[in-house]
Amino acid sequence: MNNILEINHLTKTFGGLNAVSDVNMYIEKGELVGLIGPNGAGKTTVFNLITGVYRPNEGSILFDGKSIGGLSPHRICREGIARTFQNIRLFKNLTALDNVKIAFHKEVNYSLLSAVFRTNRFYQGEDQIEQKALELLEIFQLGDKRNELASNLPYGEQRRLEIARALATDPKLLILDEPAAGMNPQETNALTELIHWVRGQFNLSVLLIEHDMSLVMGLCERLYVLNYGQILASGLPEEIRNNPKVIEAYLGEEVTKVVSGS
Amino acid sequence: MLNFIQQLINGLSLGAIYALIALGYTMVYGIIKLINFAHGDIMMVGAYVGFFSITLLGTNVWVAMLFAMLTCAVLGIIIEKVAYKPLRNSTRIAALITAIGVSFFLEYIMVFLLGATQRVYPADAFPTQTYHFSGLLMTNKDIFVIASAVFLMIILQLFIKKTRTGKAMRAVSLDQDAASLMGINVNHIISVTFAIGSALAAAAGVMYGVFYGTINPLMGMVPGIKAFVAAVLGGIGIIPGAMAGGFLLGILETMVSGYGNSLFRDAAAYGVLILILLIKPTGLFGEKSGEKI
Amino acid sequence: MELLKRNPAALFLKILILAGIFSAIQYMISFKILSTYYQMTLTTLCLNIILAVSLNLINGFTGQLSLGHAGFMSIGAYVSVVFTQNLDAPFLLALFMACLGAALAGLVIGIPTLRLRGDYLAIATLGFGEIIRIILYNIEAVGGAAGITGIPKLTTWPWLFGSVVLTILVINNLTNSSYGRAIVSIREDEVASELMGINIVNYKILAFIVGAMFAGLAGGLYAHFFYIIKPNTFGFMKSFDVLVMVVLGGLGSTSGAVIAAIFVTILSTVLQSFPELRMVLYAMVLIIVMIFRPQGLMGNKELSFKILRRKRGEAKK
């Protein structure tokens, strides 16, 4: 089994409309795959289906050889899929450190009673979580912001914190929903490097939605193009770049961006 | 069978009052997504305005109702401007707690000013006449309550469907930002919504006084919650839903006390609420809508 | 990080302060310095702290607006009285059963209402609270509307003090753990919380059960101090009172809830001869706090040695 994720005939309808229809995708272990497409093509819906926010109407989702279609989001997270959100969804009124600590909750090794009675096990467990959370924050250059409220962080740091939080759940597959949205070119470059590095460091497979073509073309090893809820094309970035169907789908919207890769 | 129809008539009168209050809940919820907890208490204020209009000014019931509706329309606008408007962008929990605060404020400011004692609605303002139809009993009060409620509902429907303001209200309830971009004065529309909803509650208050004969400062609490149940039953935010929900709940309650145990009348309403929330939270007429992620 | 470790000095200091408070008041009670009236106020104060701190777990930490706290309290009250009066059980067992009964009710109410959010949940809990009241009203075995009288006065200062300390300790330790963070994340963003692997259903039920359990404890203590219980004592008004304390103190601050409970109890005592003025004032406080400081006076901050120490640390920098 070389594929970490395998999606077959995935379909989701909303009130009779096909948001996603008959989508087939796979991601190999360690691969970095991009999902692109015009606005409203159903990209985020695919993400929501993979992470259990929506139940698929038809089709199967195999994660590491196990069917996860229809499982609840927290179960899927425990299986090893973590994600970020198009509109950042941090725990705004909590500190950066607490945001990451919460995502470590599934690793907590002391019981509720142990917490209530403050046993040694509790203190050890808390120390471990704190240590790990601080390490993650350091990796994302947020170490000195640990006690800042998430809502007080600048936009780019919030995006980074969201990735850090996702990594805290110890995923095998990381799903990023427009990680570079709202970032300037320097930040985007730094993010590209970071994603690359994180993938190697944490042994991850990565699936990302992105509108920033420079990031997609520079980072992804393979691409899927979604249009009107269906896979329009898939292949290497070079192939996608020159695919006439893809250019047509983007025509009028982002044709220049795709062609020039800027 | 005769008894059943009799209960149905009683249920319709009670339901008409619920329906009128429920309309206000549903309109306000449709527009600013707030459960206006104080709505039942606006009904109570309406009942008092009607009471003083009849006793002090010597007006008839119709004028009293008009007075009550005008006063409460203004009261509704003031409440929205003072208490709810500052919270429009805060959490729903904060808005809900504020609404509970407004509710208790209205109740106890009235207790403080007028005392907690009951007042008897002047009986001679609306002398009871009883009609018999082949074994069925009906009073002119039943007719008064049902007819005025239906009349007001028809006016409301026409207003919302036919007038510019009514269309603007529907637009605001669908999408506030878009409506505002289309040149609709959202603040104005919200004020109008509160005014209309409160006026309907005031009418219900006067009807309540006439129908049940006594009023007190805490009278709005239970009918308020019941009317909310009615609004949820029909699908909150949906105007025909509120009417249907009101009548349904009124009939259900009279049936429970008529055939079962009158002590469990209130429990029935809450039971319906919990059942509907668990089985179909969007109500009988509601459609499903999800949160965008 | 060292703050997390056991700090024997601070612990010793806390125990010393608590022992001081306990014995000072016990002394005043034993030597009749505290009149019956003040003892009543003291009891109300302790009960309010238990109620506010436990409701704060549901409303403040978990962010689930519950308006049925008085309902849980009534279950505790009735269950405990059945055990002491009808079954001649010792007080400790009666209180334990009160907690258990209320926790069970919390479970029963918690599970179905989990599908509801925000306003709907608030109304549903209000409905459940009222249903409990109406049911008690109609059970002749527990006195119906008249309630139960002649309950032995078993709630003494040591019981009250112990219960307050237990409530604060359990809820404070719970909220300051990974489980507590999971609970708070539900308040912050349910969707994100669940996608971070947190079983939000379990933790909402947990919050309801623990919150209800302590409300039940307060009910048991209430019944065995005030001699009489009836369904109407535990109406929506009582839930509202507790809500005022939680909101005033800060949604998500245990120390805030304690301070607010003390403040509100004293205010109520002062305004006792003007009950309607008291309610007008409460209502205004609720509205004003929500408009100007929707997170409550303390927000989610805690008053503790830790904050003081951190403040000092920052000053040194």
Side-chain angles (χ1 to χ4, degrees):
Chain A
M1 177 55 71
N2 249 341
N3 292 343
I4 188 79
L5 189 74
E6 236 183 272
I7 295 174
N8 292 312
H9 308 296
L10 190 66
T11 300
K12 176 72 188 173
T13 58
F14 289 113
L17 280 172
N18 278 351
V20 169
S21 61
D22 202 24
V23 164
N24 296 295
M25 282 172 75
Y26 68 88
I27 299 172
E28 286 178 19
K29 277 188 182 144
E31 215 180 0
L32 224 162
V33 176
L35 179 62
I36 62 170
N39 280 324
K43 302 182 295 284
T44 298
T45 307
V46 171
F47 276 21
N48 284 339
L49 288 165
I50 297 173
T51 51
V53 177
Y54 299 148
R55 280 169 171 272
N57 294 78
E58 275 170 52
S60 67
I61 306 171
L62 290 177
F63 178 69
D64 220 0
K66 189 178 167 190
S67 173
I68 56 164
L71 288 185
S72 57
H74 70 94
R75 291 277 306 279
I76 290 175
C77 176
R78 273 159 198 262
E79 291 295 329
I81 301 181
R83 72 177 279 183
T84 64
F85 301 88
Q86 193 175 341
N87 315 308
I88 302 172
R89 298 188 80 136
L90 288 166
F91 306 121
K92 291 196 192 71
N93 301 314
L94 304 180
T95 61
L97 182 62
D98 276 344
N99 265 277
V100 177
K101 277 183 172 178
I102 285 166
F104 275 116
H105 181 66
K106 71 175 189 180
E107 282 182 25
V108 66
N109 57 4
Y110 56 85
S111 70
L112 194 61
L113 284 179
S114 181
V116 168
F117 293 112
R118 287 289 190 257
T119 62
N120 275 328
R121 211 184 162 79
F122 163 80
Y123 288 104
Q124 282 162 8
E126 279 294 293
D127 278 353
Q128 273 173 24
I129 289 176
E130 174 131 349
Q131 207 102 51
K132 285 187 191 168
L134 284 173
E135 278 167 23
L136 260 181
L137 285 176
E138 286 299 338
I139 288 175
F140 286 84
Q141 290 150 26
L142 293 164
D144 50 340
K145 301 285 177 85
R146 71 184 83 155
N147 290 325
E148 290 278 336
L149 293 187
S151 55
N152 292 344
L153 294 176
Y155 193 79
E157 291 182 356
Q158 291 198 11
R159 286 253 174 236
R160 292 213 301 272
L161 178 57
E162 232 196 357
I163 299 176
R165 184 181 67 174
L167 286 176
T169 66
D170 190 24
K172 295 179 200 144
L173 173 64
L174 179 64
I175 300 188
L176 303 170
D177 199 343
E178 297 197 26
M183 284 190 175
N184 62 33
Q186 287 94 320
E187 285 176 316
T188 306
N189 280 339
L191 183 75
T192 310
E193 278 172 33
L194 186 67
I195 293 173
H196 224 104
W197 185 83
V198 158
R199 190 251 311 241
Q201 186 72 15
F202 291 86
N203 238 333
L204 294 174
S205 314
V206 179
L207 173 63
L208 63 88
I209 293 177
E210 189 47 70
H211 278 297
D212 190 315
M213 285 303 150
S214 68
L215 183 123
V216 173
M217 294 295 168
L219 186 62
C220 297
E221 288 145 3
R222 209 153 51 77
L223 293 179
Y224 284 94
V225 185
L226 202 64
N227 196 25
Y228 294 112
Q230 288 175 314
I231 298 285
L232 187 71
S234 67
L236 302 172
E238 280 309 310
E239 298 167 9
I240 296 296
R241 195 198 292 263
N242 301 317
N243 187 324
K245 276 200 288 184
V246 177
I247 297 174
E248 198 190 312
Y250 272 91
L251 199 69
E253 197 191 352
E254 293 188 64
V255 64
T256 41
K257 273 193 194 170
V258 175
V259 171
S260 66
S262 64
Chain B
M1 191 59 204
L2 212 59
N3 184 28
F4 180 78
I5 296 173
Q6 182 66 54
Q7 296 290 352
L8 207 62
I9 293 170
N10 299 346
L12 282 177
S13 311
L14 180 64
I17 294 175
Y18 286 161
L20 274 184
I21 311 174
L23 280 172
Y25 267 119
T26 238
M27 286 170 69
V28 167
Y29 192 90
I31 264 186
I32 56 168
K33 302 284 173 286
L34 164 77
I35 298 175
N36 183 10
F37 236 94
H39 197 63
D41 303 299
I42 293 175
M43 177 204 103
M44 172 271 295
V45 175
Y48 270 91
V49 174
F51 172 81
F52 286 118
S53 166
I54 295 168
T55 53
L56 297 182
L57 305 175
T59 64
N60 66 28
V61 173
W62 306 105
V63 178
M65 201 190 261
L66 201 67
F67 260 147
M69 289 173 78
L70 286 175
T71 316
C72 286
V74 175
L75 178 67
I77 293 172
I78 294 173
I79 289 174
E80 194 275 323
K81 290 264 184 266
V82 173
Y84 299 152
K85 198 175 166 203
L87 284 160
R88 226 175 264 166
N89 293 318
S90 65
T91 59
R92 284 168 88 166
I93 227 180
L96 192 60
I97 291 171
T98 311
I100 295 172
V102 173
S103 164
F104 275 84
F105 180 78
L106 287 177
E107 285 165 13
Y108 285 93
I109 201 84
M110 290 299 267
V111 174
F112 185 63
L113 296 174
L114 304 169
T117 47
Q118 288 209 333
R119 279 161 206 258
V120 179
Y121 239 65
D124 49 346
F126 204 94
T128 310
Q129 282 167 9
T130 312
Y131 311 105
H132 296 271
F133 307 95
S134 54
L136 290 176
L137 202 76
M138 203 168 180
T139 69
N140 56 345
K141 286 182 179 170
D142 287 314
I143 297 167
F144 164 73
V145 168
I146 297 171
S148 349
V150 170
F151 173 75
L152 287 171
M153 285 172 199
I154 291 171
I155 300 273
L156 179 71
Q157 272 297 355
L158 288 176
F159 177 80
I160 286 173
K161 291 269 187 260
K162 303 285 178 199
T163 64
R164 275 181 69 87
T165 317
K167 282 176 189 158
M169 280 169 69
R170 281 187 289 158
V172 173
S173 80
L174 282 177
D175 189 331
Q176 226 175 75
D177 297 328
S180 132
L181 288 173
M182 300 313 288
I184 293 170
N185 183 341
V186 173
N187 283 331
H188 175 73
I189 294 301
I190 292 176
S191 289
V192 171
T193 308
F194 268 89
I196 295 175
S198 306
L200 292 175
V206 176
M207 291 177 194
Y208 189 98
V210 168
F211 198 75
Y212 291 102
T214 57
I215 58 173
N216 70 70
L218 303 184
M219 66 184 260
M221 215 191 245
V222 173
I225 295 172
K226 301 280 184 64
F228 175 79
V229 175
V232 173
L233 182 62
I236 195 140
I238 305 162
I239 286 173
M243 301 181 196
F247 282 116
L248 271 175
L249 189 68
I251 292 167
L252 177 82
E253 282 199 355
T254 37
M255 294 293 169
V256 168
S257 39
Y259 288 100
N261 183 345
S262 65
L263 287 169
F264 281 106
R265 201 182 85 160
D266 290 346
Y270 296 119
V272 165
L273 171 77
I274 288 159
L275 273 183
I276 194 90
L277 285 180
L278 294 179
I279 296 164
K280 196 166 184 298
T282 47
L284 297 176
F285 293 69
E287 278 163 22
K288 211 178 167 177
S289 70
E291 190 189 0
K292 198 170 158 58
I293 291 157
Chain C
M1 218 184 311
E2 61 277 16
L3 292 176
L4 270 178
K5 294 254 160 59
R6 273 178 221 266
N7 186 337
L11 190 69
F12 183 69
L13 190 66
K14 278 179 195 166
I15 291 174
L16 208 66
I17 293 172
L18 287 177
I21 295 174
F22 174 76
S23 29
I25 291 178
Q26 185 60 52
Y27 175 84
M28 288 196 278
I29 292 170
S30 305
F31 289 91
K32 306 221 162 29
I33 301 170
L34 271 187
S35 67
T36 320
Y37 176 75
Y38 281 113
Q39 284 186 35
M40 250 165 72
T41 310
L42 181 71
T43 305
T44 313
L45 177 72
C46 291
L47 296 180
N48 281 343
I49 291 176
I50 297 173
L51 289 168
V53 169
S54 57
L55 183 65
N56 196 25
L57 177 67
I58 302 173
N59 287 6
F61 285 102
T62 324
Q64 310 296 307
L65 186 49
S66 162
L67 299 176
H69 219 50
F72 298 132
M73 191 184 170
S74 69
I75 289 179
Y78 275 85
V79 167
S80 66
V81 170
V82 167
F83 270 85
T84 52
Q85 253 191 347
N86 303 5
L87 304 172
D88 278 325
F91 193 36
L92 184 65
L93 179 66
L95 285 183
F96 180 77
M97 295 316 286
C99 291
L100 199 68
L104 215 61
L107 179 72
V108 169
I109 292 171
I111 289 176
T113 48
L114 283 171
R115 290 179 48 189
L116 310 172
R117 284 180 191 181
D119 340 3
Y120 282 132
L121 178 72
I123 299 293
T125 50
L126 188 149
F128 267 119
E130 288 297 290
I131 288 177
I132 292 174
R133 192 175 62 84
I134 294 164
I135 290 174
L136 289 175
Y137 215 89
N138 288 294
I139 299 179
E140 280 311 316
V142 291
I148 306 174
T149 53
I151 304 163
K153 191 174 165 178
L154 301 172
T155 301
T156 53
W157 169 240
W159 284 106
L160 283 168
F161 184 81
S163 302
V164 169
V165 171
L166 183 74
T167 308
I168 295 175
L169 199 72
V170 168
I171 288 180
N172 195 43
N173 285 357
L174 172 65
T175 51
N176 286 308
S177 73
S178 192
Y179 297 94
R181 286 193 295 270
I183 281 175
V184 170
S185 77
I186 295 173
R187 174 189 76 196
E188 291 293 311
D189 188 330
E190 275 190 26
V191 174
S193 171
E194 187 158 27
L195 284 162
M196 291 307 125
I198 285 158
N199 187 341
I200 58 173
V201 171
N202 279 359
Y203 288 113
K204 280 190 196 175
I205 295 182
L206 176 71
F208 258 97
I209 290 177
V210 175
M213 189 175 87
F214 286 109
L217 175 64
L221 293 168
Y222 176 95
H224 291 88
F225 186 89
F226 288 99
Y227 176 76
I228 174 169
I229 51 170
K230 48 186 179 184
N232 283 350
T233 315
F234 308 104
F236 177 46
M237 211 69 95
K238 186 71 209 165
S239 297
F240 173 75
D241 267 359
V242 185
L243 181 69
V244 172
M245 294 170 211
V246 170
V247 168
L248 193 64
L251 293 160
S253 166
T254 300
S255 43
V258 174
I259 294 168
I262 296 172
F263 176 75
V264 169
T265 312
I266 293 173
L267 188 73
S268 302
T269 315
V270 173
L271 293 174
Q272 203 164 38
S273 345
F274 318 96
E276 54 279 340
L277 197 65
R278 181 180 78 108
M279 291 307 287
V280 171
L281 214 64
Y282 277 13
M284 280 170 67
V285 163
L286 217 50
I287 298 168
I288 292 168
V289 169
M290 278 299 112
I291 291 177
F292 294 103
R293 210 176 148 72
Q295 67 276 46
L297 292 185
M298 294 277 289
N300 53 14
K301 301 263 186 320
E302 295 289 352
L303 183 74
S304 72
F305 298 119
K306 205 153 78 181
I307 284 187
L308 296 176
R309 207 177 303 158
R310 194 179 293 158
K311 283 262 162 62
R312 227 188 301 151
E314 276 168 14
K316 271 184 199 159
K317 270 187 213 161

